[in-house]
Amino acid sequence: MAAVGAGGSTAAPGPGAVSAGALEPGTASAAHRRLKYISLAVLVVQNASLILSIRYARTLPGDRFFATTAVVMAEVLKGLTCLLLLFAQKRGNVKHLVLFLHEAVLVQYVDTLKLAVPSLIYTLQNNLQYVAISNLPAATFQVTYQLKILTTALFSVLMLNRSLSRLQWASLLLLFTGVAIVQAQQAGGGGPRPLDQNPGAGLAAVVASCLSSGFAGVYFEKILKGSSGSVWLRNLQLGLFGTALGLVGLWWAEGTAVATRGFFFGYTPAVWGVVLNQAFGGLLVAVVVKYADNILKGFATSLSIVLSTVASIRLFGFHVDPLFALGAGLVIGAVYLYSLPRGAAKAIASASASASGPCVHQQPPGQPPPPQLSSHRGDLITEPFLPKSVLVK
């Protein structure tokens, strides 16, 4: 790459000089690798820490906080954070920010109203997660919650007419089998169970949460495709609807108790940690997820299952028996297989076919090679691994 002078002209380097561009590929590659590793760490820690922190806060002795208030606080903090980020994008100009929000939120009210339905679904989903994690061990919830991959796939086929490869269908079957084994282990009484926990209610809540997650993700893709709004604007709009709908849910479910005991009843540093994780964790993932490819996202999900299981053993006395290990292993394998790009999936299928006999496909002369599928397509392959905060790519 030629150097750019102060006046904007370009000058080629001398014969003995090394241009700056000559170092860029290697430097850029190393930087990209570092960002991928950072992305992997962030995805793993955020996936595991949120579930573990909720489980820890909900099982502490003493007064139990109201889950509906935690959902509302997370939405408020997320909305305020996005507002500050938009303020920074406008270089601290309040007038420009107000005009921008007036145009984006009020003038283009149709786009804003489109977010009301998914915001309602996500508010319901967040409350269901508290119910599920309060009644299931963290490791069991983490494994069972991967059913969101199955629900997202099914809704994509039904609503977007997507097609899945044979390997993806097989991985979904493997995923369902693994979750069923884990739930059979849970129903069989694997390990000690507190008296105030109801595994049936926990399973119903996590299944409902997975259904809502799958539908909301596909709904977003269907109604917001081609939208020019930024990630921060969309999350601000979600936060506005989420706060309002969360307050309605709070009033309907626990209004009398909250009015009597107070909004922040039972809040401890652990509870605030949950709220901050839920508010900022998804936004942080929204920043780093663009550096993670499909395989890395699947690998992060698998690692988070392992991390949640190990931490549950140390923190909550969780007992891992062969049945749970088998089910969790099937889920981890299914997640990895499903996250493979289509090109890799075809390679695996070709390798399997070659085991039974040689099959050579030659390109006819004079015809161009078939186009390669990109691993960064915004399709079903990537959607199940994206956090709720990532709305617009």
Side-chain angles (χ1 to χ4, degrees):
M1 178 182 298
V4 180
S9 61
T10 60
V18 179
S19 67
L23 298 177
E24 286 185 0
T27 305
S29 178
H32 184 70
R33 282 198 300 271
R34 285 196 298 270
L35 287 173
K36 287 185 65 174
Y37 293 139
I38 293 173
S39 302
L40 175 63
V42 170
L43 290 171
V44 171
V45 171
Q46 203 278 332
N47 283 340
S49 64
L50 178 60
I51 295 170
L52 291 169
S53 60
I54 293 177
R55 177 67 179 178
Y56 179 75
R58 296 296 281 177
T59 55
L60 283 176
D63 295 327
R64 176 176 286 190
F65 68 98
F66 299 112
T68 52
T69 64
V71 171
V72 171
M73 281 304 303
E75 292 298 326
V76 170
L77 291 176
K78 183 177 70 174
L80 290 176
T81 302
C82 293
L83 184 62
L84 289 175
L85 290 171
L86 290 172
F87 181 64
Q89 287 183 351
K90 299 302 176 182
R91 302 182 183 276
N93 192 313
V94 177
K95 181 179 179 181
H96 287 176
L97 177 64
V98 171
L99 292 175
F100 169 76
L101 292 178
H102 178 267
E103 174 70 23
V105 178
L106 298 180
V107 176
Q108 301 180 17
Y109 65 92
V110 175
D111 284 343
T112 302
L113 291 176
K114 287 179 180 179
L115 295 171
V117 173
S119 182
L120 172 63
I121 295 173
Y122 282 143
T123 302
L124 173 64
Q125 178 186 347
N126 289 334
N127 282 282
L128 287 172
Q129 284 183 356
Y130 279 98
V131 175
I133 299 175
S134 300
N135 290 280
L136 292 175
T140 302
F141 172 84
Q142 182 76 290
V143 172
T144 309
Y145 192 56
Q146 301 316 311
L147 281 176
K148 63 184 177 180
I149 301 175
L150 173 63
T151 59
T152 303
L154 295 178
F155 279 120
S156 295
V157 171
L158 294 175
M159 296 173 61
L160 301 177
N161 295 322
R162 286 274 168 76
S163 61
L164 302 180
S165 67
R166 292 181 180 179
L167 181 62
Q168 286 178 317
W169 282 116
S171 65
L172 292 176
L173 179 60
L174 196 66
L175 174 70
F176 183 82
T177 302
V179 170
I181 292 174
V182 168
Q183 286 302 319
Q185 179 265 353
Q186 179 70 23
R193 179 188 306 161
L195 295 177
D196 61 342
Q197 293 185 15
N198 185 344
L203 175 60
V206 73
V207 170
S209 181
C210 290
L211 287 170
S212 62
S213 175
F215 176 80
V218 176
Y219 181 85
F220 265 128
E221 185 176 358
K222 189 176 181 66
I223 69 172
L224 295 182
K225 183 166 291 186
S227 173
S228 59
S230 69
V231 172
W232 310 128
L233 173 62
R234 294 309 180 198
N235 279 284
L236 173 61
Q237 292 169 317
L238 264 188
L240 293 174
F241 280 115
T243 300
L245 294 171
L247 288 173
V248 172
L250 183 154
W251 171 79
W252 180 75
E254 300 171 321
T256 303
V258 171
T260 302
R261 298 186 176 184
F263 188 91
F264 296 106
F265 174 78
Y267 272 56
T268 63
V271 177
W272 280 111
V274 171
V275 172
L276 293 175
N277 194 338
Q278 200 163 31
F280 300 131
L283 296 177
L284 180 62
V285 171
V287 175
V288 303
V289 75
K290 63 181 179 180
Y291 301 108
D293 55 22
N294 302 329
I295 297 178
L296 195 67
K297 294 169 193 171
F299 190 51
T301 302
S302 301
L303 281 180
S304 65
I305 294 175
V306 176
L307 180 60
S308 297
T309 302
V310 173
S312 296
I313 295 172
R314 297 295 300 270
L315 294 176
F316 312 118
F318 182 72
H319 175 68
V320 178
D321 60 13
L323 203 59
F324 177 87
L326 173 62
L330 291 176
V331 170
I332 290 173
V335 169
Y336 174 76
L337 291 175
Y338 189 85
S339 64
L340 288 176
R342 289 182 183 265
K346 289 181 179 179
I348 292 177
S350 298
S352 301
S354 64
S356 59
C359 183
V360 180
H361 298 277
Q362 294 183 348
Q363 184 70 19
Q367 293 187 11
Q372 297 297 319
L373 292 175
S374 170
S375 61
H376 298 284
R377 292 168 41 182
D379 62 5
L380 179 63
I381 300 176
T382 61
E383 288 301 324
F385 302 102
L386 292 180
K388 295 191 290 291
S389 298
V390 184
L391 307 182
V392 182
K393 301 182 185 65

